[in-house]
Amino acid sequence: MRSAFSVSSKARLGFLVVAVLRFEAGLGQAQEPPKQEQPKYTAEEYKAFQEATTETDPAKKIALIVQFLKDRPQSTLRQHVIAAYQMQMNEFQSGKKWNDVISAGESFLAAVPDDIFTIALLATAYQQTKDLKKFVVYGEKVFEKNPQGNTAYYLAKAYLDLENNPKFLYWGEKTAQLLPDNHEILIELTKKFAITKKNAQAVKYGRQCVKVLQAAKKPDGASEKDWKTYTNNSLASCYAVVGTAAAEQEDWATAVSNLESSLKYYGRNDIAYYHLAMSYWQLQKVDLAMKNFAKAFLLKGNTSKAAKQYLDNLYKSSHQNTLVGLERVIAKAQEELQ
């Protein structure tokens, strides 16, 4: 059962505001060195500084700045050159010239490898150009310096799109820790942990997601229909995961409670009916067990054959070893599925 909203479509509907991954580095203003101080640089050095900071062509300016920093790593003019670089990069970003940000930033890091201002801008640029493999490299460095929930969220989304499940689970859990009301990530964590049979984590996030969704309000920009479909499918999935895990642990009462809740939100999940039937059977509620086995059978999913076999055996055990009248049980189940 798929959610009505994919990660990308939810973003379009405004579920989360797209945050620009920028580290708050102090943006300096390019300045002339103080005239009153005794110069601590050579005439040649000052000439190179002037050429780099006054160049009007952006590409040439960046090249001159990078060359200056490579040639003169200890220069007293270094801070002024970097300030001129930051101003140029801000212009690129303001104009959404992401390819220019990438070209200039990668070049600059060759001279100043650990510059977090550049690393953050590159993360933004690669995200905006949908180069997710490059985005996650720089995004992780941004998070290391400034661990914020939005950064973790976009890293989780990127790894989800890249189908890198171990990395998604890592960053998804970071997101859940920093943004505990982010139902988008909580539902994905629930599903992924359920698929890998890590029931403790699946149940943890499933329950957390149910709690968050029950208190969530429809986001601005989302239609009532889409929001209802999304919440119903998500709640159905979370309750099903919790209920199935409980059945596997033979906690039949918890299984029944959660599986019944799941089926209220999505009534055509054959696996949920199958586990519900097994749970009712273990609780010695044979009529309810047969009805739910019949529904699992009728939905013709992966549990259909096994459900029919259990249905036949249960019916025979309470009807003198005959199947006469079983068609009425199946008909009633079919009616309820409509």
Side-chain angles (χ1 to χ4, degrees):
M1 168 171 46
R2 292 181 59 84
S3 163
F5 294 164
S6 67
V7 170
S8 59
S9 63
K10 279 196 286 180
R12 288 196 299 272
L13 288 171
F15 278 66
L16 288 170
V17 176
V18 176
V20 176
L21 293 173
R22 291 191 60 193
F23 186 82
E24 291 298 326
L27 304 185
Q29 298 292 323
Q31 302 173 7
E32 290 288 324
K35 298 297 184 184
Q36 64 271 29
E37 293 183 4
Q38 185 67 26
K40 298 177 182 179
Y41 40 81
T42 66
E44 179 186 6
E45 186 178 351
Y46 185 71
K47 180 182 177 183
F49 159 77
Q50 283 190 311
E51 290 176 350
T53 56
T54 60
E55 174 60 55
T56 58
D57 180 271
K60 291 180 180 178
K61 186 187 191 88
I62 295 295
L64 289 169
I65 286 173
V66 170
Q67 195 60 53
F68 183 98
L69 295 173
K70 284 182 176 179
D71 293 344
R72 302 169 181 85
Q74 303 303 321
S75 173
T76 57
L77 298 173
R78 182 182 181 86
Q79 62 178 318
H80 304 288
V81 174
I82 289 177
Y85 160 77
Q86 290 183 345
M87 289 177 66
Q88 182 61 65
M89 291 294 277
N90 281 327
E91 288 182 19
F92 285 153
Q93 184 190 32
S94 297
K96 297 184 179 180
K97 297 179 179 179
W98 304 118
N99 289 328
D100 289 334
V101 169
I102 290 169
S103 177
E106 294 284 10
S107 176
F108 186 82
L109 288 183
V112 190
D114 298 324
D115 183 63
I116 189 60
F117 171 82
T118 301
I119 289 169
L121 281 179
L122 282 172
T124 301
Y126 281 124
Q127 184 191 42
Q128 293 296 321
T129 56
K130 304 189 185 306
D131 188 341
L132 297 182
K133 289 183 179 180
K134 289 287 185 68
F135 161 69
V136 294
V137 171
Y138 291 105
E140 288 191 10
K141 292 179 180 179
V142 171
F143 186 88
E144 183 180 353
K145 284 286 186 180
N146 190 29
Q148 296 294 319
N150 274 337
T151 309
Y153 164 72
Y154 283 107
L155 285 166
K157 280 188 63 175
Y159 281 120
L160 186 64
D161 288 343
L162 290 169
E163 298 183 353
N164 185 330
N165 286 338
K167 282 283 194 176
F168 164 72
L169 292 174
Y170 177 84
W171 288 106
E173 291 200 282
K174 286 284 188 186
T175 304
Q177 178 184 3
L178 295 168
L179 300 175
D181 292 337
N182 189 313
H183 47 77
E184 178 183 357
I185 296 300
L186 291 174
I187 183 61
E188 294 296 340
L189 285 171
T190 302
K191 292 176 180 178
K192 294 292 185 185
F193 278 124
I195 289 170
T196 56
K197 294 297 182 182
K198 294 182 178 179
N199 285 350
Q201 294 97 318
V203 169
K204 171 187 173 181
Y205 292 115
R207 286 177 170 159
Q208 186 176 342
C209 188
V210 166
K211 183 178 179 180
V212 170
L213 280 171
Q214 287 176 336
K217 296 181 180 178
K218 182 183 75 67
D220 295 337
S223 70
E224 290 286 354
K225 179 182 177 182
D226 285 346
W227 176 241
K228 183 177 181 180
T229 299
Y230 166 71
T231 54
N232 283 355
N233 285 351
S234 297
L235 287 167
S237 294
C238 290
Y239 278 123
V241 166
V242 175
T244 300
E248 291 176 359
Q249 295 172 349
E250 300 183 3
D251 182 354
W252 309 117
T254 299
V256 166
S257 174
N258 282 277
L259 291 169
E260 288 282 17
S261 293
S262 173
L263 290 164
K264 288 178 183 177
Y265 291 104
Y266 179 74
R268 301 191 68 80
N269 183 346
D270 69 293
I271 297 175
Y273 283 119
Y274 180 81
H275 286 295
L276 182 58
M278 293 291 287
S279 300
Y280 275 129
W281 184 16
Q282 295 299 323
L283 292 171
Q284 299 183 359
K285 297 182 178 181
V286 176
D287 287 345
L288 288 173
M290 287 193 295
K291 180 176 71 173
N292 285 287
F293 276 133
K295 290 179 181 180
F297 160 66
L298 289 167
L299 288 171
K300 303 302 179 185
N302 292 333
T303 65
S304 182
K305 183 176 180 180
K308 183 60 165 62
Q309 186 63 58
Y310 279 120
L311 174 60
D312 289 351
N313 291 342
L314 273 178
Y315 191 86
K316 285 180 180 179
S317 70
S318 57
H319 291 79
Q320 300 180 334
N321 204 34
T322 177
L323 293 178
V324 175
L326 177 60
E327 68 277 4
R328 289 192 293 272
V329 174
I330 295 175
K332 179 64 175 177
Q334 181 69 68
E335 181 183 337
E336 292 186 7
L337 283 174
Q338 298 300 324

